[in-house]
Amino acid sequence: MEQTKALNALEPFIALSKSATSPRAAADLIERATSAPNTYIFTELLQSPQIQTLAASHPDLQPHLALLRIFSYGDYDTYESTPGLPPLGDAQRLKLRQLSLLSLAASGRRQDLAYERLRQSLRLDSTRELETLVTTAIYAGLVDAKLDPARQRVQVTRVAALRDLHPDDVTGMRTALRGWSDRCASVLDDIERHTKRVRAAAAARAAAETEAADKLTKAVADLRDADKSTLAREQLARRGMSKRSMLDAAAKARGDEAMDLDGPFPSDDSKKRAGKRKM
């Protein structure tokens, strides 16, 4: 949100840079852009082809271009320590100090948030001036912070992304992003290999389960066939026993009939014994 607002505020100056035909016009444009309310990002103006062309052909524009670089990614301490730069108006001085406060707060170094350190970096003469500057930055939405006079510190909880990147930071960022991309690619390769192993294990497990199911089905079928064979043998055995029983019964019946036929006729021995008794 803050970046969009800052870019919109800078847009008119970018349009005017296309029609700047002299070093004086370009210098005035830089002064107006760095003094205007809500302009905190200046890279597009700094890289304007017309301004770059004028600076290359007119050395007297170089100090103004250096000032624009400081507003883009420098700080107030750099401005004070660099000779030959154009003087700052009140609006420019306040803005450059606010931008420097953003950089110090975003650095994350706790010692930079101490009153004394901030006063030195922002070239302020008193604690009151520092507290006034921090208060204006808070009301402008540049930072969320709380003054802590008892501990002589500024407690910052949020910093608006309203500073351009230094060219060296871009190179470092590219290196960091390239390293991050390589790590992501390595992680993705590891995930792909792990996924392949998991899929292979799942396929092997499914094949083993299918094989076990087939073996179980075959075993059940074999058992049923065995049960059928046993039942058939038992049935045959029962049938054989029935036939033997019928044959035994028939044989017994024939034996009984034979005995009945032999009973009424006396044998020769009986006749002889009967004759002897008569004599």
Side-chain angles (χ1 to χ4, degrees):
M1 184 66 179
E2 294 92 350
Q3 287 182 332
T4 301
K5 187 177 179 180
L7 288 173
N8 290 338
L10 186 66
E11 190 64 32
F13 301 101
I14 297 174
L16 290 172
S17 69
K18 298 176 182 179
S19 59
T21 57
S22 66
R24 183 66 263 170
D28 290 342
L29 183 63
I30 291 172
E31 182 180 351
R32 290 165 56 193
T34 53
S35 303
N38 302 320
T39 54
Y40 298 100
I41 299 175
F42 301 98
T43 294
E44 290 192 35
L45 182 61
L46 180 62
Q47 296 176 350
S48 169
Q50 184 66 15
I51 290 181
Q52 290 291 331
T53 300
L54 288 172
S57 57
H58 297 82
D60 54 338
L61 186 58
Q62 287 296 332
H64 293 83
L65 198 61
L67 178 64
L68 188 58
R69 291 192 189 97
I70 291 175
F71 269 87
S72 183
Y73 46 76
D75 56 33
Y76 196 87
D77 194 39
T78 302
Y79 171 79
E80 289 290 339
S81 60
T82 303
L85 294 178
L88 296 177
D90 292 341
Q92 288 176 304
R93 194 177 302 277
L94 173 62
K95 180 173 294 185
L96 186 54
R97 279 175 169 154
Q98 290 176 337
L99 291 172
S100 301
L101 176 64
L102 285 180
S103 296
L104 292 170
S107 68
R109 297 192 298 270
R110 295 180 60 87
Q111 65 271 20
D112 289 339
L113 302 181
Y115 274 23
E116 186 61 27
R117 172 59 176 165
L118 290 174
R119 283 180 53 198
Q120 291 177 1
S121 298
L122 302 177
R123 304 295 180 93
L124 294 171
D125 296 330
S126 66
T127 298
R128 183 177 182 81
E129 289 180 335
L130 172 62
E131 291 179 342
T132 300
L133 174 68
V134 174
T135 302
T136 60
I138 294 173
Y139 281 115
L142 304 180
V143 294
D144 289 341
K146 181 180 179 181
L147 296 170
D148 187 357
R151 299 174 59 191
Q152 293 288 289
R153 299 189 65 83
V154 179
Q155 299 176 354
V156 179
T157 57
R158 185 192 68 90
V159 180
L162 291 176
R163 297 249 53 194
D164 295 310
L165 290 174
H166 192 282
D168 294 340
D169 294 337
V170 174
T171 302
M173 184 176 294
R174 287 176 179 172
T175 302
L177 289 174
R178 190 177 297 111
W180 175 79
S181 178
D182 293 341
R183 289 193 297 273
C184 288
S186 177
V187 170
L188 289 174
D189 290 341
D190 291 342
I191 292 174
E192 183 65 23
R193 287 193 293 269
H194 180 70
T195 301
K196 289 181 179 179
R197 288 196 297 269
V198 170
R199 288 176 178 172
R205 185 167 57 251
E209 291 175 354
T210 301
E211 183 180 359
D214 292 342
K215 289 182 179 179
L216 179 61
T217 301
K218 186 177 183 302
V220 171
D222 292 343
L223 183 60
R224 288 177 179 172
D225 293 340
D227 290 342
K228 290 180 180 179
S229 299
T230 302
L231 181 60
R233 287 195 296 271
E234 291 177 351
Q235 290 177 347
L236 290 174
R238 286 195 293 271
R239 290 176 183 175
M241 292 177 63
S242 298
K243 288 181 178 180
R244 285 195 297 272
S245 298
M246 292 174 65
L247 291 173
D248 292 343
K252 182 178 180 182
R254 286 195 299 272
D256 291 343
E257 289 177 358
M259 290 178 63
D260 291 341
L261 290 174
D262 293 340
F265 302 100
S267 64
D268 293 340
D269 292 339
S270 297
K271 291 179 179 180
K272 291 178 179 180
R273 286 195 296 271
K276 288 181 181 181
R277 284 195 299 269
K278 289 180 179 180
M279 293 178 59

